[in-house]
């Protein structure tokens, strides 16, 4: 029988330590599964992060099978026996996949997404899904199937999104690691809002079967974790070539699982801040960003402020075109049915209808601007090793508000304008890793994006690792609902 102290010890372990304990047979997979399911039963009803949870009996059976394999000296990989809930935008064989939409509320796929295949092959036990906004649209996790996911630090506030369920489950120790995806900050924003790490990877690093396999998408899959080491371990499972994704990277993903220690003395950091006044921020966000810069200076980095000589509104408008094209292409079929259209969220219909009005020349012009902006950023990397900017423009807001209509004296003219800070990095195709930057006076978290050169995921992980050694935000500031270590009996 697992005691409360033992259960707390297990769910508080980082993923690497938990994996080592399982493989050393100092803890059984059944014991781990029981501890996590008991913890989920206590905490998840308060925040609604994990949905479509599989029956306990089935999950414990899978855990026993993992123990039997270890007893025969067989391990599937470092995730062997570790509970994992998959973002509800990724198909999972035999487990309901809804995309947060009432149109798919009962859909159970008979196949896995590539990322889910890899999680299973590495030994993870899929326990259910993590909640998302409908079709992943908007950095606020709510839908008409499961309801809203609430912030780990203040359940009256939003979790962010679209990987909101993943971030909250991770922050509250209901999962050791989590997967997510990111088009417009969907890994970075919820990680910032819940004091964890979220990593938007370069397109092709993690293969996915997109609607069009031959045009680079703006959305990518990536890992979330509470330490940079765990982030790298999960990326080592998710990354790597797959023939179903012809543009996926052939680089060896094992490099992400190697030790991340590195000397950062003299490393050049470019602070993008508010992009020369282009972006509006709530008071306190930029100040926390600058405090993160001071932590980077502590590990030896040299920080300079970047002055951009580029019309950022042009980048935004081009992104709107590409976004409508890619989102609308995926959702146009249900939208064509009036009965189904009436059940879709207004923001989804807005993207589809905007996409339907686009011309081929408008798409070409938007893609050309994306290339121009990429070259602007590429030249910045001739002067800087990394770029840094906030991961969000506002702190977690009221969970009943669908999206902020105003920041300060500026009106937000679209449902995602309040998250514009992530879009230039998406458009440049760079990897961007959110690390926690601290807390507002009200106790709400914020983060910054550590941005690397395209395909330098390893460098981002190494910088995040060095940063967390001097800040320790995740370990030092767990959410109020997270378990606490039991005192020793002496």
């Amino acid at each position: 029988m697992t005691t409360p102290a033992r259960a707390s010890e297990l769910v508080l372990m980082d993923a690497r330590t938990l994996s080592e304990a399982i493989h050393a047979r100092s803890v059984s997979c059944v014991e781990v599964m029981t501890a996590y399911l008991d913890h989920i039963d206590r905490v998840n009803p308060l925040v609604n992060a994990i949905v479509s949870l599989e029956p306990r009996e089935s999950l414990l059976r899978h855990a026993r099978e993992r123990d039997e394999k270890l007893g025969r000296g067989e391990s599937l990989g470092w995730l062997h026996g570790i509970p994992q809930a998959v973002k509800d935008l990724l198909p999972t064989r035999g487990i309901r996949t809804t995309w947060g939409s009432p149109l798919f509320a009962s859909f159970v796929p008979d196949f896995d997404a590539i990322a889910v295949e890899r999680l299973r092959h590495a030994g993870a036990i899929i326990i259910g899904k993590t909640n998302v906004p409908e079709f992943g649209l908007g950095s606020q996790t709510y839908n008409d199937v499961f309801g809203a996911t609430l912030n780990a630090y203040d359940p009256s506030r939003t979790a962010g999104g679209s990987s909101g369920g993943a971030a909250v489950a991770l922050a509250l120790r209901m999962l050791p690691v989590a997967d997510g995806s990111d088009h417009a900050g969907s890994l970075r924003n919820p990680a910032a809002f819940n004091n964890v790490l979220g990593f938007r990877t370069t397109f092709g690093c993690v293969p996915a079967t997109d609607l069009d396999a031959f045009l680079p998408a703006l959305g990518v899959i990536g890992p979330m974790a509470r330490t940079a080491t765990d982030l790298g371990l999960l990326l080592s499972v998710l990354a790597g070539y797959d023939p179903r994704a012809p543009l996926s990277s052939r680089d060896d993903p094992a490099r992400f699982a190697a030790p991340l220690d590195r000397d950062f003395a003299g490393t050049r950091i470019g602070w993008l801040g508010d992009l020369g006044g282009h972006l509006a921020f709530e008071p306190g966000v930029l100040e926390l960003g600058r405090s993160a810069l001071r932590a980077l200076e502590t590990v030896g980095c040299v920080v300079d402020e970047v002055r951009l000589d580029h019309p950022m509104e042009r980048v935004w408008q081009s992104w709107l075109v590409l976004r409508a094209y890619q989102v609308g292409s995926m959702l146009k079929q249900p939208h064509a049915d009036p009965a189904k259209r009436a059940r879709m969220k207004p923001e989804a219909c807005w993207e589809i209808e905007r996409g339907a009005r686009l011309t081929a020349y408008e798409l070409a012009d938007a893609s050309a601007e994306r290339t121009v902006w990429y070259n602007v950023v590429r030249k910045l990397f001739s002067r800087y090793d990394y770029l840094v900017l906030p991961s969000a423009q506002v702190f977690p807001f009221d969970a009943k508000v669908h999206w902020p209509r105003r920041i300060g004296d500026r009106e937000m003219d679209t449902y995602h304008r309040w998250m514009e800070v992530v879009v230039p990095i998406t458009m440049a195709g760079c990897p961007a890793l959110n690390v926690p930057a601290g807390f507002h006076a009200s106790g709400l978290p914020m983060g910054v994006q550590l941005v690397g050169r395209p395909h330098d995921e390893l460098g981002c992980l190494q910088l995040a690792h060095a940063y967390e050694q001097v800040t320790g935000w995740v370990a030092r500031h767990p959410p109020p609902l997270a378990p606490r270590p039991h005192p020793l009996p002496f």
Side-chain angles (χ1 to χ4, degrees):
M1 178 178 174
T2 303
T3 65
R6 177 67 162 169
S8 290
E9 177 189 355
L10 292 176
V11 300
L12 286 170
M13 286 181 180
D14 59 64
R16 181 184 66 175
T17 303
L18 181 61
S19 177
E20 291 171 348
I22 288 172
H23 284 86
R25 309 296 302 279
S26 60
V27 61
S28 71
C29 298
V30 168
E31 193 177 6
V32 169
M33 183 62 71
T34 300
Y36 269 94
L37 292 179
D38 288 349
H39 181 55
I40 289 168
D41 285 346
R42 287 191 298 270
V43 175
N44 194 57
L46 304 175
V47 292
N48 193 37
I50 295 177
V51 297
S52 301
L53 188 66
E54 289 286 277
R56 179 180 285 251
E57 298 77 16
S58 172
L59 296 174
L60 290 174
R61 185 179 70 252
H62 289 309
R64 283 192 292 272
E65 291 168 356
R66 295 293 195 278
D67 282 328
E68 290 166 3
K69 282 184 178 292
L70 285 179
R72 298 192 297 268
E74 303 171 10
S75 171
L76 294 172
W78 83 265
L79 282 169
H80 189 102
I82 289 182
Q84 174 77 359
V86 174
K87 185 174 179 178
D88 203 21
L89 299 184
L90 289 178
T92 42
R93 174 175 38 83
I95 301 176
R96 185 165 59 147
T97 300
T98 74
W99 292 277
S101 169
L103 301 181
F104 299 96
S106 302
F107 177 62
V108 179
D110 59 1
F111 65 96
D112 283 329
I114 294 173
V116 181
E117 285 181 359
R118 292 182 171 190
L119 292 170
R120 291 193 202 268
H121 290 163
I125 301 174
I126 309 301
I127 65 171
K129 308 303 285 285
T130 54
N131 203 20
V132 297
E134 185 176 343
F135 299 120
L137 300 179
S139 289
Q140 219 286 47
T141 297
Y142 67 92
N143 60 63
D144 289 339
V145 182
F146 301 111
T149 295
L150 306 176
N151 190 278
Y153 285 81
D154 182 347
S156 72
R157 303 284 177 142
T158 178
S162 62
S163 307
V168 173
L170 188 60
L172 290 173
R173 281 59 177 175
M174 290 188 279
L175 294 174
V177 289
D179 62 88
S181 56
D182 186 306
H183 178 135
S186 290
L187 280 158
R188 294 164 281 172
N189 160 254
F193 277 10
N194 292 281
N195 194 45
V196 295
L197 283 69
F199 197 4
R200 177 191 167 87
T201 53
T202 310
F203 178 82
C205 177
V206 178
T209 49
D210 294 308
L211 187 66
D212 187 331
F214 292 99
L215 288 178
L218 292 165
V220 300
I221 294 169
M224 304 182 85
R226 295 189 296 268
T227 71
T229 294
D230 286 354
L231 204 66
L233 283 170
L234 185 54
L235 186 56
S236 74
V237 170
L238 298 173
Y241 180 74
D242 188 284
R244 291 166 290 183
L247 302 184
S248 54
S249 172
R250 293 182 180 271
D251 291 340
D252 183 2
R255 68 191 187 280
F256 301 130
L260 298 175
D261 299 298
R262 173 178 156 187
D263 182 4
F264 280 94
T267 298
R268 302 162 300 171
I269 302 288
W271 167 243
L272 294 175
D274 61 3
L275 304 181
H278 177 72
L279 300 175
F281 284 90
E282 273 191 350
V285 174
L286 289 173
E287 289 76 8
L288 285 177
R290 292 189 182 97
S291 72
L293 296 177
R294 291 192 288 273
L296 291 170
E297 289 175 331
T298 300
V299 303
C301 298
V302 178
V303 179
D304 289 319
E305 187 161 339
V306 175
R307 298 189 181 279
L308 290 171
D309 184 20
H310 188 82
M312 296 308 300
E313 183 65 17
R314 203 164 69 197
V315 177
W316 171 258
Q317 293 299 330
S318 297
W319 175 77
L320 286 179
V321 170
L322 296 172
R323 165 87 166 186
Y325 150 61
Q326 293 188 356
V327 170
S329 296
M330 292 187 293
L331 301 179
K332 65 181 186 299
Q333 186 171 351
H335 183 268
D337 182 332
K340 292 180 179 178
R341 182 166 64 245
R343 302 179 68 193
M344 298 173 74
K345 69 189 290 187
E347 292 82 0
C349 295
W350 183 82
E351 296 280 11
I352 299 160
E353 290 159 11
R354 181 181 173 89
R357 296 192 298 269
L358 294 173
T359 68
Y361 291 157
E362 287 176 300
L363 290 177
D365 289 345
S367 190
E369 170 58 25
R370 183 184 184 186
T371 302
V372 170
W373 171 241
Y374 163 78
N375 282 306
V376 170
V377 174
R378 182 178 59 82
K379 290 175 183 176
L380 286 177
F381 279 119
S382 68
R383 305 203 313 268
Y384 302 105
D385 300 301
Y386 298 89
L387 303 173
V388 177
L389 72 167
S391 294
Q393 293 166 243
V394 299
F395 289 98
F397 50 88
D398 190 327
K400 296 183 178 67
V401 174
H402 287 183
W403 50 274
R405 263 59 177 184
R406 174 186 291 271
I407 301 178
D409 60 356
R410 296 197 202 176
E411 295 285 345
M412 300 293 104
D413 56 357
T414 73
Y415 75 97
H416 32 33
R417 188 83 185 221
W418 63 276
M419 279 298 299
E420 186 179 356
V421 68
V422 299
V423 167
I425 307 308
T426 294
M427 288 286 276
C430 298
L433 198 165
N434 172 81
V435 292
F439 293 79
H440 187 264
S442 62
L444 296 172
M446 183 47 61
V448 293
Q449 303 173 68
L450 306 181
V451 182
R453 295 178 176 90
H455 305 289
D456 189 21
E457 278 76 15
L458 181 58
C460 289
L461 289 166
Q462 291 168 332
L463 183 59
H465 177 69
Y467 174 85
E468 73 183 15
Q469 303 310 301
V470 298
T471 60
W473 284 117
V474 178
R476 291 193 295 116
H477 294 274
L481 293 175
R484 296 296 192 272
H486 280 252
L488 296 173
F490 53 80

